Amino acid sequence: MRVTAPDARAEGDERPKVGRVSIVVPTRNSATTLATCLESARAQDHPDVELTVVDNHSTDGTLQIAHELADAVLVAGPERSAQRNAGSRASTGEFLLFIDSDMVLERSVVSECVHAARGGAQSVVIPEVSFGEGYWTRCKALERSCYIGDDTIEAARFFTRDAFDRAGGFDESIPAGPEDWDLHERVRAADDAVQRTNALIWHDEGRLRLRETVATKYYYGKGAEVYLRRHSTAARKQARLFRPAFIRNRRRLARQPLTAAGMMLMKALELGAGAAGLVVARACARRARTAG
């Protein structure tokens, strides 16, 4: 790991400022979206925000953008969980906010999170909405709009540092996929004071392609074994095709029948791909044990 800013926590010569929020952004070849993401973080109405970018060996212009806009830039991997943990260790804030490089924050996201934490919340969910181009992106945006307020799907992104440290941070044996849900569930098990903001995160989906999103879910499925074993009840709810959120929003879906049909097709293929990835991962693990 290469660090281009001092680890103030490790040096011990500077205590975190009261109310400082450290925003940690893992990246890999994110040049097309990173500047907008970091600029939205810089535009927050909270007065003390620290930006840490943790890059996984990008080959485009990601690092240049990060050095221009972030307070600290690290190079670390191999996946998001490890990147986020590295970013938390290199940051100095009393609070931690983890976002992806294709996300845009509304201006009051951080201040609303801090207000919730001052009221006793250990973690805060920030509702997400999707935008982008093309039919499959519209399908994803419709799906995500149904999940706002659904505590079986939404996961916290903002944590007090104390809660994050007590939970042990992100589990690096879950490299990507359900790592957000895993940390959310572990923090909630210790203290169920989860709150939500009114301000939103806008998720730039770009132009989604069905093959790519299905392949991503297959990859996530290969790393889901630990999460399924640890949070089986939550996982069963999240793996349903016909979710209560869709029933609650049936009028919204009925107003967009073609998009809703595509959404259900995409969701079915994603769930199937995730299950296939899990089966493959388990088979590989069995072969490894037998060979050993």
Side-chain angles (χ1 to χ4, degrees), residues 23-240:
I23 301 179
V24 177
V25 187
T27 59
R28 181 173 172 81
N29 294 333
S30 306
T32 58
T33 59
L34 182 60
T36 302
C37 172
L38 298 182
E39 287 165 358
S40 75
R42 284 288 181 217
Q44 292 297 294
D45 60 11
H46 186 73
D48 195 353
V49 171
E50 174 188 58
L51 282 179
T52 300
V53 171
V54 189
D55 186 66
N56 186 5
H57 306 282
S58 288
T59 57
D60 62 0
T62 295
L63 278 172
Q64 179 180 350
I65 295 168
H67 282 295
E68 290 172 356
L69 296 174
D71 298 301
V73 181
L74 295 73
V75 176
E79 286 285 3
R80 283 195 313 235
S81 293
Q83 289 176 272
R84 289 167 172 170
N85 286 340
S88 72
R89 291 190 296 268
S91 62
T92 64
E94 179 184 354
F95 307 104
L96 294 164
L97 171 59
F98 299 94
I99 62 173
D100 296 334
S101 58
D102 56 358
M103 292 178 171
V104 182
L105 307 179
E106 290 190 347
R107 191 165 183 268
S108 63
V109 163
V110 170
S111 60
E112 289 186 30
C113 287
V114 172
H115 179 74
R118 294 302 188 211
Q122 297 297 300
S123 58
V124 182
V125 169
I126 307 163
E128 296 179 27
V129 293
S130 291
F131 70 98
E133 300 177 355
Y135 174 70
W136 296 112
T137 302
R138 292 196 298 275
C139 294
K140 181 62 69 176
L142 180 59
E143 178 192 359
R144 197 180 293 275
S145 73
C146 293
Y147 296 154
I148 293 178
D150 187 338
D151 61 6
T152 67
I153 301 297
E154 293 180 318
R157 291 187 173 276
F158 180 95
F159 304 90
T160 66
R161 186 177 291 275
D162 287 345
F164 181 83
D165 288 345
R166 283 197 305 270
F170 288 93
D171 187 337
E172 295 182 21
S173 69
I174 308 175
E179 82 281 6
D180 293 331
W181 284 334
D182 174 67
L183 179 59
H184 173 89
E185 292 295 335
R186 286 187 284 119
V187 171
R188 183 164 65 174
D191 188 337
D192 197 25
V194 180
Q195 293 190 25
R196 287 178 170 78
T197 64
N198 291 316
L200 302 172
I201 287 176
W202 289 80
H203 190 161
D204 185 355
E205 304 283 359
R207 181 179 288 275
L208 278 182
R209 291 173 173 80
L210 185 60
R211 178 181 298 179
E212 292 174 356
T213 187
V214 170
T216 297
K217 296 301 182 182
Y218 173 79
Y219 176 67
Y220 288 171
K222 292 175 69 175
E225 177 68 31
V226 172
Y227 177 75
L228 292 172
R229 188 167 59 247
R230 183 180 289 161
H231 308 291
S232 58
T233 300
R236 283 195 297 269
K237 293 178 181 179
Q238 290 153 353
R240 290 179 292 192

